[in-house]
Amino acid sequence: MEEESGEELGLDRSTPKDFHFYHMDLYDSEDRLQLFPEENTRMRKEVVQAEMANESTGVGDGNAQRDLREEVEELVHLHGLEDDHELGDEFVDENMPRMGVSEYPPYGLKRRDPAREQRDWRLSGEAAEAEDLGFGGWGSAGQCQDLREVYRYTHGRASEEYECYVIPEEEDEEEAADVFCVTCKTPIRAFQKVFDEHKEHEVIPLNEALESAKDEIHKNMYKLEKQIIDMENFANHLEEVFITVEENFGKQEQNFESHYNEILETLAQKYEEKIQALGEKKKEKLEALYGQLVSCGENLDTCKELMETIEEMCHEEKVDFIKDAVAMADRLGRFLKTKTDVEISAQPDFEDQNLDFSDVEQLMDSINTIPAPSAPVINPQAPNSATGSSVRVCWSLYSDDTVESYQLSYRPVQDSSPGKDQAEFTVTIKETYCSVTDLVPNTQYEFWVTAHNRAGPSPSSERAVYVTAPSPPIIKTKEIRSCEEAVLICWESGNLNPVDSYTVELTQAESPEASGVTESVVGIPTCETLVQLQPGQSYIIYVRALNMGGPSVRSEPATVHTIGSYFRLNKDTCHPWLTISQDGLMIVRSERSTPTREPPPRDTHFTRCVAVMGNLIPVRGHHYWEVEVNEHFDYTVGVAFEDVPKKEDLGANCLSWCMRHTFASLRHKYEFLHNGTTPDIRITVPPKKIGILLDYENSKLSFFNVDLSQHLYTFSCQLHKFVHPCFSLEKPGCLKIHNGISMPKHVTFY
Amino acid sequence: MALKQISSSKCSGELQKVFEHVSVELNCKMKFAVYLPPKAETGKCPELYWLSGLICTEQNFISKSGYHQAASEHGLFVIAPDTSPRGCNVKGEDESWDFSTGAGFYADATEDPWKTNYRVYSYVTEELPQLINANFPVDPQRTSIFGHSMGGHGVLICALKNPGKYKSVSAFASICNPVLCPWGKKAFSGYLGKDQSKWKAYNATHLVKSYPGSQLDILIDQEKDDQFLLDEELLPDDFIAACTERKIPVVFLLQEVLARIS
């Protein structure tokens, strides 16, 4: 039926050929009421869905449905949505079977093309009684008639007028209600308010009424949806319980079966034993009795024999008789003296058997007693489940044994000889997991577990090794080097034993902790790393150490500003006569030519040239720093390769480029040295602050008088490796370094 | 002042043009070359004046120096005027190569017969800039000047006589102390007369001593083996010494080799 109607109503959008003279738009509700076009469509859809939803909640809801529908009908009436909507109502009312929710959407689709519905309907209405038009399933001819009545009513026209194609809506619009009487719950025309009926009543604009009706419907829809979900969940749950009941039954059945079998076997065995014992006893008795019988017989024979002999004797001659009688008397005397045992040795009765069923009783009782459990299986450590001081140990029991508690034992794993026993700890737990605390970071522990019940303990599980997470590393903040695009951070491990790797986390400092995006660099094998950054930002950096157990907590943070290039002086290169300030930015050569302490010189220290080098981040690009000088000091500033000969002067070789100032006889001499040569250069105003620009991309090293924004000189230098800033003081004096500053504008031109 | 375009050659977005106009200061038709970088199409460019040396015209620099790439890269509008009035038919103007024609010495002559036409100083510092600013997409706030030899002298005096007018001054092998060198003496006595006190107004070394001192940035490049240096035409040391004393920032670079462009 559905399908038929669907076809009839034309789910496909193409206009059937016969109907082409019907102007769609006139009856297309979307366009009908220009005032509220959107609301119309929405309204219709919602109402329809509400209706459908209403239907799905149950048959018993008839009344409620009715009310709602009436309300809606009235509303719709006002909007001139009558024809298609009411038609639809009728259909829904009487003809729509109570179907599942899933069937409604197709109906909804149809609703969007009400004009088509009407059209088709009207045509079939003309044909009236024809059930074969596909509306058959929807009712009798009488119903079609009813529908036409309805249609006529709503439009107040005779049915003949359908073909004329008068536009009823325009007329209706003039009379259309535009307010809503809350009291009567009916839409009315504004002027009606004035009249007696609605005079006292509360009236609200139609829009509002619409909105509130829609809201109501929405709310109900929402509730219904929720209920659907709840019911579905419950059904699932029930299914699960179902299955569990079956399972549990199965287990119990098995249990009983085996127990009872055992008992039966035992009983049978007992029976056998007893019978056998009884048999033995009988044999015994019979043998005893038989023995007695035999001896009795012998006795009898002897007696008889004697008797016969005596009788014979009596027939003998007197002399023979007396001889024999004396012998006989002796014999008789002797014979009669022997006792004849006439006691029956074996009683015929058998004793009452003592049936010992105690072990059977025990078995019966033990139906409900359980054996000791089998060994649990301890899980391997889940990754990232440990902290620096705790691990979470899990295990499972792969049998149906009853367990009352578990005992977890552990001790640290030691490489040392087994003779030295580490302290063992044990905890009793009811669950199959345990968080063990108070442990040492970055340490391996052995864990094993036993299960316990009334019957006793299980055998021990295998031993599993868990490791605690490491301690956090410690960033070497004084050795951070940065530039506009990157930072080189190094740190101490923070752990005695090796860890697997390190993770560096950075957040931009501007955004507060909570909302900042954290970038992580993972899998760092060593205690240093170079991270790419954005220029002109501030970052907060943390480091974590990682092992199998998981990550450590964050280290103390370090802050990096990607402004300019930031470096510190390398004390390992420092000539003994130079002192570096605490902040690492001031170099002093004091008056004394030899220092108070003379550390043994190493290869890394400058020995001839009283110099020191900085540690510049090994990133190609631009680097800029400034040096504050005094025009009376003799100094040299510039750059050099890391392996510049420490026994030579700066600038004397091809591994360094520098600017040297010498002040002698009130004259300033400036040299720009590389490979021992310098151009002839004269500078009229001695700089007080020298800006140095190192440009790897263009292979240039430039010097500036910062205060005057004056360019002094530029070297073209082949920088195949990374260079570092270098500074020296040829005479006592001091130099102050300013770095981490952005390039002044005038410098950017070079 | 109507500008007449004499020539124009285009090369990868940049334009090298030569214009002609009637100069008020010099009372004759004057040509000058302008270079428009690609940036000139979209915005105002900084302007850079090039003052040529003895016997040069507006052509020498634009044809031989190869400055175009650098100018294009930095978006510089380069102006190269001629070194003296032409075709004025002043008596004696073609007698020497280092005086009058092609040798304006960037001074305003006060002596006859030169004073009508030989006012190259005013031309370069006033008339020409006004013309350029009115007709081309330039930013007068960002003007600099550079020159060679006599032009070097020209740039130094223009900068020293107009504090704050030029952002930077660069001189190649410039005549730094003309009152003491043969060229200078010849030119000044011709243009300015015998009174040497009048010469000081066009002498860089002198001007620097009384420079009121707004920010200057002077770069002087000098080839070591320059014959003219050896002939003591250029005398940079005097200038340097004066600058040192007056604390005028100058970087003076004595180079091994410096190409000539005349």
Side-chain angles (χ1 to χ4, degrees), chain A residues 572-614:
Chain A
D572 289 339
T573 60
C574 191
H575 188 280
W577 294 354
L578 289 180
T579 324
I580 301 176
S581 65
Q582 268 287 39
D583 64 1
L585 292 174
M586 178 107 95
I587 308 167
V588 178
R589 176 176 172 165
S590 57
E591 296 286 338
R592 274 182 299 212
S593 57
T594 46
T596 45
R597 48 152 189 84
E598 186 94 40
R602 294 187 305 178
D603 286 339
T604 53
H605 291 274
F606 280 96
T607 48
R608 181 192 156 93
C609 181
V610 184
V612 64
M613 279 173 53

Side-chain angles (χ1 to χ4, degrees), chain A residues 263-314:
Chain A
I263 289 170
L264 287 172
E265 270 171 33
T266 312
L267 277 174
Q269 199 181 358
K270 279 194 179 305
Y271 169 75
E272 288 295 329
E273 279 172 11
K274 284 291 176 194
I275 291 295
Q276 196 171 354
L278 220 56
E280 299 270 335
K281 258 239 159 351
K282 170 188 102 177
K283 195 165 151 199
E284 242 181 68
K285 282 187 191 289
L286 287 177
E287 275 177 5
L289 284 169
Y290 184 73
Q292 272 194 335
L293 195 68
V294 164
S295 67
C296 199
E298 283 174 6
N299 204 317
L300 258 173
D301 285 342
T302 312
C303 277
K304 277 192 183 152
E305 195 198 318
L306 279 176
M307 213 48 136
E308 281 173 18
T309 311
I310 288 174
E311 277 181 21
E312 279 176 25
M313 264 177 32
C314 287

Side-chain angles (χ1 to χ4, degrees), chain B residues 70-257:
Chain B
S72 167
E73 227 172 272
H74 294 281
L76 298 171
F77 186 94
V78 185
I79 307 114
D82 201 347
T83 48
S84 74
R86 307 258 170 194
C88 303
N89 287 320
V90 180
K91 186 157 177 281
E93 69 180 4
D94 290 322
E95 274 170 22
S96 346
W97 67 277
D98 54 0
F99 180 72
S100 68
T101 304
F105 267 87
Y106 301 101
D108 286 346
T110 52
E111 296 289 296
D112 279 321
W114 315 108
K115 66 181 184 195
T116 324
N117 302 102
Y118 282 78
R119 296 180 55 75
V120 188
Y121 173 75
S122 295
Y123 177 69
V124 163
T125 54
E126 280 166 48
E127 184 179 357
L128 189 58
Q130 275 170 21
L131 189 67
I132 299 291
N133 295 342
N135 289 285
F136 296 97
V138 290
D139 179 6
Q141 300 304 316
R142 293 186 287 166
T143 309
S144 291
I145 193 162
F146 67 143
H148 165 247
S149 186
M150 175 183 75
H153 145 81
V155 311
L156 289 174
I157 60 167
C158 289
L160 291 167
K161 283 160 84 74
N162 297 280
K165 187 179 169 82
Y166 302 103
K167 292 257 184 256
S168 76
V169 180
S170 312
F172 291 97
S174 57
I175 300 168
C176 300
N177 199 0
V179 301
L180 292 183
C181 74
W183 277 334
K185 286 180 189 163
K186 183 170 176 182
F188 287 167
S189 52
Y191 294 131
L192 306 171
K194 298 279 186 245
D195 181 2
Q196 294 206 2
S197 63
K198 287 198 198 157
W199 296 5
K200 291 179 188 172
Y202 295 100
N203 187 14
T205 306
H206 184 89
L207 288 165
V208 101
K209 287 178 185 160
S210 53
Y211 183 68
S214 84
Q215 184 82 316
L216 254 189
D217 188 357
I218 301 176
L219 170 68
I220 305 178
D221 254 300
Q222 175 64 57
E223 188 189 330
K224 226 183 219 179
D225 298 325
D226 186 347
Q227 190 58 43
F228 295 118
L229 178 68
L230 301 170
D231 288 345
E232 297 191 5
E233 291 281 8
L234 306 179
L235 303 170
D237 293 341
D238 301 338
F239 182 68
I240 301 296
C243 286
T244 309
E245 199 173 312
R246 281 289 296 162
K247 303 211 189 306
I248 305 289
V250 175
V251 176
F252 173 72
L253 200 51
L254 205 58
Q255 307 249 33
E256 289 298 327
V257 176

